[in-house]
Amino acid sequence: MNYCEIKNLDIANGPGLRVSLFVSGCTHHCKGCFNPESWDFNFGQPFTEATEDEILRLLENEHIRGLSLLGGEPFEPQNQAVLVHLLRRVKEKFPHKDIWCYSGYNFEKDMLTGNLGHWEITEEMLSYIDVLIDGEFKLELKNPNLRFRGSANQRVINVQESMKQDAIISWDDGEGLTL
């Protein structure tokens, strides 16, 4: 897997200060994508063990609330095997930090049905993700006033509660702010 960028102290891709990993490779090719260079699976740099260690080092900062995965597409089958290893290490070392993931895939139709490669890997990856922003970016539904998403069709899902309750549960920031 390749990656485009690692952002430290990111405030745009989830609540609080975050470390954000932008992976390479995406087959959605959404019209109006803010990061079209990331569609190419060969764009950027190889994701190595040293890269993973650097992300873990950045997460040691007590002011960092969590990790965000973006792209490209984290749930492309080619990216999942690498990312699941990273997520496992993050949750083991920092169980109190949250993990957010942005995906153009649909939670129920694509992820929970096993349509994205090896179900065991997708299932494990989902077990580490706290919040998922799902759905392709739709230029005609773009709304810059939405929190943590680009278009009105995208949802901000509390993954763990949704899997426990077998229903889509929206993420609640605890402050009563509308998503």
Side-chain angles (χ1 to χ4, degrees):
M1 180 185 89
N2 279 10
Y3 71 100
C4 308
E5 181 179 12
I6 297 169
K7 284 189 179 180
N8 188 25
L9 305 176
D10 186 2
I11 59 169
N13 297 300
L17 292 173
R18 312 189 68 73
V19 174
S20 293
L21 171 64
F22 292 77
V23 301
S24 296
C26 182
T27 58
H28 300 297
H29 298 185
C30 301
K31 183 179 179 183
C33 175
F34 80 98
N35 201 12
E37 62 275 2
S38 70
W39 297 349
D40 181 352
F41 285 89
N42 296 310
F43 180 76
Q45 304 170 59
F47 189 90
T48 64
E49 188 174 331
T51 310
E52 193 171 285
D53 291 342
E54 175 65 10
I55 291 170
L56 292 170
R57 187 190 67 72
L58 293 171
L59 286 167
E60 289 175 355
N61 180 336
E62 67 184 45
H63 301 293
I64 297 291
R65 179 165 169 175
L67 173 69
S68 293
L69 301 176
L70 305 93
E73 172 58 67
F75 273 93
E76 290 291 357
Q78 301 91 307
N79 293 336
Q80 287 187 50
V82 174
L83 290 175
V84 76
H85 185 264
L86 169 66
L87 297 181
R88 186 182 307 126
R89 287 186 69 197
V90 169
K91 280 297 184 180
E92 286 171 358
K93 190 168 182 181
F94 306 105
H96 60 286
K97 296 195 186 237
D98 61 11
I99 297 174
W100 281 48
C101 183
Y102 288 74
S103 176
Y105 288 110
N106 179 279
F107 184 58
E108 306 98 287
K109 293 178 188 167
D110 300 315
M111 295 176 189
L112 295 181
T113 58
N115 288 338
L116 299 176
H118 297 288
W119 167 242
E120 298 80 20
I121 295 174
T122 302
E123 182 180 36
E124 184 179 357
M125 198 164 152
L126 286 170
S127 76
Y128 302 127
I129 294 171
D130 298 291
V131 177
L132 174 73
I133 292 77
D134 81 333
E136 292 185 7
F137 172 76
K138 302 281 186 191
L139 186 59
E140 63 276 11
L141 297 175
K142 180 179 180 179
N143 182 341
N145 296 317
L146 297 170
R147 292 186 72 214
F148 306 126
R149 55 198 172 129
S151 59
N153 63 298
Q154 295 172 314
R155 302 175 297 176
V156 184
I157 299 170
N158 180 326
V159 174
Q160 300 313 309
E161 283 303 311
S162 295
M163 292 180 76
K164 283 181 201 169
Q165 297 184 34
D166 196 24
I168 299 301
I169 308 298
S170 294
W171 174 76
D172 177 2
D173 67 0
E175 297 177 20
L177 298 175
T178 304
L179 296 174

